Amino acid sequence: MNNNQSNKLIRIRNTPTVSAANNLLYVQEVGHLPSELAGKTQRKQIDSFLVIFVLKGAGYLRYDGAEYRVSEGQGIFIDCQKEHSYRCDPDNPWEVLWLHFNGNAAVYYYDLFQKKGCCIFFPQCIKDFVSIIYEIIANNAHKTNDTEIINSKLITDILTMILSNPGIHGPSDDYSYQMKSVKEYIDSHFTESINLDELSESFYMNKYYLTREFKKEYGETIFQHIIRRRIDYAKNLLSSTDKTIEEIALLSGFNDQSYFSRQFKKMVGVSSLNYRKEHKK
């Protein structure tokens, strides 16, 4: 299987023999989802374990009472008996590989994974990890007498790579990652109108949780961070351009010049005019 077939939907379902189901790790479903076909999935009480790896883009997972953002180079490993849902980022839809598997040893591997407080993992060698999943796809697309034993070996290889990877992290680390993603978004759009409801919806987080965790992570509220970034931007314009105060207020994200002037003096300690006189290049 050529792992460059990134524009094709691949979905292979497999029913194990009784012998494989009783003695081996076995494939239930494996595939590749291109970004143009990505959507939303919600399930619970499925007798299966699921590994998803993100080749490109990003998506969101809700699992075991927490929400996660998963992006390129990251994977998830979950027990599908628990209620879960996942969907692509509408602005950057993901391209993923997935593997549903099971077997008597599957619970043991998952329990080891859970002991590390895990949900998301980072393969140390992405190329090798991806190659193994494509090998599983190829192995089940053209079955032989050895398919099931090879499946078991390849699934074990996947799980070994996940469990031996120091890049595994759990919810507490992922919350920090989520807040970093929110901050990066704000830092790229602070001159635009940023609405807390829209922000929480975009990152699939309750707005009260988002507000609390952002302040915990960065020591300031989202509102304070936006205002600070706008004032810093305005300071640069005041010292390096001849634009009017009104123009600078608008360019910095303030629709009201008087409000800008009040916020500027409150944060900087001097008026915008005095700041310009002291710092104009």
Side-chain angles (χ1 to χ4, degrees):
M1 177 71 63
N2 185 340
N3 60 11
N4 290 321
Q5 297 185 44
S6 60
N7 61 337
K8 295 182 179 180
L9 171 65
I10 302 170
R11 186 171 195 168
I12 298 175
R13 295 182 175 92
N14 179 65
T15 301
T17 63
V18 173
S19 179
N22 290 335
N23 298 286
L24 301 173
L25 290 169
Y26 58 87
V27 172
Q28 295 170 306
E29 185 177 291
V30 63
H32 166 264
L33 179 70
S35 58
E36 57 266 26
L37 298 179
K40 179 179 179 180
T41 299
Q42 184 165 351
R43 293 172 174 161
K44 63 179 178 179
Q45 295 182 337
I46 305 297
D47 187 17
S48 179
F49 294 88
L50 173 64
V51 172
I52 293 178
F53 182 73
V54 184
L55 294 168
K56 296 178 183 177
Y60 299 90
L61 167 72
R62 183 170 185 81
Y63 178 68
D64 205 18
E67 290 181 320
Y68 306 85
R69 188 174 193 274
V70 195
S71 56
E72 181 175 340
Q74 297 178 322
I76 64 174
F77 179 19
I78 63 174
D79 178 356
C80 295
Q81 292 279 8
K82 298 180 180 180
E83 185 170 355
H84 61 281
S85 63
Y86 46 88
R87 61 183 297 172
C88 67
D89 182 330
D91 297 320
N92 187 22
W94 61 9
E95 175 187 344
V96 301
L97 293 168
W98 82 88
L99 169 66
H100 276 284
F101 71 96
N102 216 324
N104 289 332
V107 174
Y108 173 75
Y109 279 104
Y110 181 74
D111 286 346
L112 288 178
F113 187 72
Q114 280 286 284
K115 286 178 181 178
K116 299 186 178 184
C118 306
C119 181
I120 296 176
F121 63 87
F122 301 79
Q124 284 185 297
C125 183
I126 290 175
K127 182 179 179 181
D128 289 348
F129 190 89
V130 169
S131 293
I132 293 173
I133 296 183
Y134 276 110
E135 193 173 346
I136 293 173
I137 291 174
N139 187 49
N140 289 271
H142 307 286
K143 293 184 178 180
T144 69
N145 291 335
D146 297 324
T147 292
E148 291 188 318
I149 194 69
I150 294 173
N151 278 343
S152 186
K153 184 266 183 189
L154 294 174
I155 295 171
T156 302
D157 289 345
I158 286 288
L159 296 173
T160 301
M161 292 182 73
I162 292 172
L163 288 167
S164 62
N165 180 12
I168 290 173
H169 69 108
S172 61
D173 294 320
D174 195 71
Y175 295 158
S176 294
Y177 179 82
Q178 285 180 308
M179 292 307 109
K180 181 181 178 182
S181 297
V182 172
K183 182 176 178 294
E184 288 175 349
Y185 176 85
I186 293 172
D187 289 344
S188 297
H189 299 274
F190 65 86
T191 61
E192 305 168 19
S193 175
I194 298 178
N195 179 282
L196 181 59
D197 288 326
E198 294 174 355
L199 192 65
S200 62
E201 184 178 342
S202 295
F203 286 89
Y204 302 93
M205 286 183 274
N206 178 281
K207 66 179 179 181
Y208 302 108
Y209 164 83
L210 172 59
T211 302
R212 183 186 71 243
E213 293 300 315
F214 189 95
K215 185 173 183 180
K216 186 188 300 183
E217 188 74 17
Y218 296 108
E220 61 183 355
T221 67
I222 290 174
F223 173 76
Q224 289 169 336
H225 184 72
I226 293 170
I227 295 298
R228 184 170 59 80
R229 288 306 310 272
R230 288 176 176 178
I231 295 299
D232 284 345
Y233 186 67
K235 287 162 70 174
N236 180 61
L237 293 176
L238 285 165
S239 63
S240 62
T241 75
D242 293 317
K243 296 181 183 298
T244 66
I245 300 300
E246 183 178 6
E247 288 175 323
I248 289 174
L250 289 172
L251 288 170
S252 301
F254 295 94
N255 294 324
D256 185 298
Q257 181 184 336
S258 61
Y259 178 68
F260 162 72
S261 297
R262 290 196 303 272
Q263 289 295 325
F264 191 95
K265 187 169 185 179
K266 179 181 178 181
M267 186 166 289
V268 183
V270 297
S271 70
S272 54
L273 284 174
N274 285 337
Y275 183 89
R276 167 168 272 173
K277 290 177 183 177
E278 296 172 3
H279 295 87
K280 188 72 168 71
K281 297 176 181 178

